[in-house]
Amino acid sequence: DAKTTQPNSMESNEEEPVHLPCNHSTISGTDYIHWYRQLPSQGPEYVIHGLTSNVNNRMASLAIAEDRKSSTLILHRATLRDAAVYYCILRDGRGAQKLVFGQGTRLTINP
Amino acid sequence: DVKVTQSSRYLVKRTGEKVFLECVQDMDHENMFWYRQDPGLGLRLIYFSYDVKMKEKGDIPEGYSVSREKKERFSLILESASTNQTSMYLCASSSDAGTGFTDTQYFGPGTRLTVL
């Protein structure tokens, strides 16, 4: 499985945008970029995914570099409820089912 | 909303006991997964199942077995619990509908198992 690299931790203030980076320099052409997050004392939850184009949904935006070797998850206006560990995961588009979680980025939101 | 439930949030067992962790999903998903989560090691896949009575080993299947007799239920079994199986256990499910490689996995709240 292709590897991802994320900062161990990040901190931001409430109601400000947050940009969570992820490097995946060995990404293959069939890998999708998925983001999950894990709130305290809960199981992980899906946030967003993309292949080549930038993606938006009600939770976040995903900006994918043109060479696909990096991506950024954008929380447009962070709230205290966004404090969580965020995982950037590559999934082989050829049908692999499992998620390979790295260490993720622990996001702290200050009031 | 998809719901994945796990039989217990917290469980304490003794070494050598047989332990059953149950997971139920209510969305008619074909795929179900068992992960364990440990500090510094992240989430690791133990077993998964893509159909009733089917199972596949994940990355760390040793010491575990699974059972999927009904589509909605996936059980993780520790035949003889050991202290190194103290961990948070997470169940997940996903659908094969549409493009399988973009399927979302829905996780349960987890079971924190302590083996004494």
Side-chain angles (χ1 to χ4, degrees):
Chain A
D1 296 307
K3 191 178 165 64
T4 63
T5 305
Q6 299 176 252
N8 289 332
S9 62
M10 288 184 64
E11 200 168 324
S12 186
N13 298 319
E14 200 175 8
E15 299 188 3
E16 289 184 359
V18 180
H19 291 232
L20 296 161
C22 181
N23 288 318
H24 28 78
S25 58
T26 59
I27 191 169
S28 74
T30 55
D31 284 336
Y32 281 71
I33 302 159
H34 287 245
W35 284 81
Y36 280 72
R37 71 179 186 180
Q38 189 170 17
L39 303 171
S41 302
Q42 295 188 29
E45 64 176 352
Y46 167 82
V47 178
I48 201 167
H49 76 272
L51 182 62
T52 55
S53 304
N54 295 345
V55 184
N56 300 295
N57 67 19
R58 64 175 179 82
M59 289 180 71
S61 296
L62 177 60
I64 301 172
E66 199 168 329
D67 64 3
R68 301 211 324 125
K69 293 184 184 300
S70 66
S71 60
T72 302
L73 179 71
I74 302 164
L75 307 178
H76 293 286
R77 201 159 167 258
T79 70
L80 295 177
R81 293 178 59 186
D82 290 320
V85 178
Y86 287 79
Y87 298 97
C88 170
I89 300 165
L90 300 183
R91 299 215 45 212
D92 189 335
R94 290 169 294 178
Q97 287 289 333
K98 70 177 182 181
L99 293 173
V100 180
F101 286 79
Q103 296 305 306
T105 297
R106 183 173 297 278
L107 176 64
T108 301
I109 304 296
N110 300 314
Chain B
D1 277 352
V2 174
K3 196 161 184 187
V4 179
T5 57
Q6 296 184 228
S7 48
S8 308
R9 289 302 302 268
Y10 299 94
L11 206 54
V12 179
K13 295 291 182 181
R14 297 210 172 271
T15 303
E17 279 192 79
K18 190 168 186 175
V19 182
F20 293 87
L21 301 182
E22 304 284 340
C23 176
V24 178
Q25 49 93 4
D26 66 357
M27 281 301 290
D28 202 36
H29 282 172
E30 292 78 14
N31 309 307
M32 296 188 75
F33 308 81
W34 275 106
Y35 296 85
R36 65 177 281 178
Q37 184 172 28
D38 302 287
L41 296 175
L43 277 87
R44 294 177 291 167
L45 181 65
I46 304 171
Y47 267 98
F48 67 99
S49 168
Y50 51 87
D51 202 351
V52 175
K53 296 192 186 296
M54 305 301 287
K55 62 184 178 184
E56 293 281 344
K57 292 181 180 179
D59 299 317
I60 50 163
E62 297 78 19
Y64 303 93
S65 62
V66 290
S67 172
R68 188 143 181 229
E69 297 296 317
K70 293 185 178 181
K71 191 175 185 181
E72 68 271 18
R73 188 180 297 269
F74 192 35
S75 302
L76 181 69
I77 303 154
L78 287 66
E79 294 288 341
S80 178
S82 64
T83 54
N84 63 14
Q85 292 178 310
T86 292
S87 186
M88 170 69 83
Y89 289 88
L90 290 155
C91 175
S93 72
S94 70
S95 171
D96 270 346
T99 51
F101 46 80
T102 61
D103 63 295
T104 297
Q105 287 194 15
Y106 296 88
F107 284 81
T111 295
R112 185 166 294 283
L113 172 67
T114 301
V115 182
L116 302 176

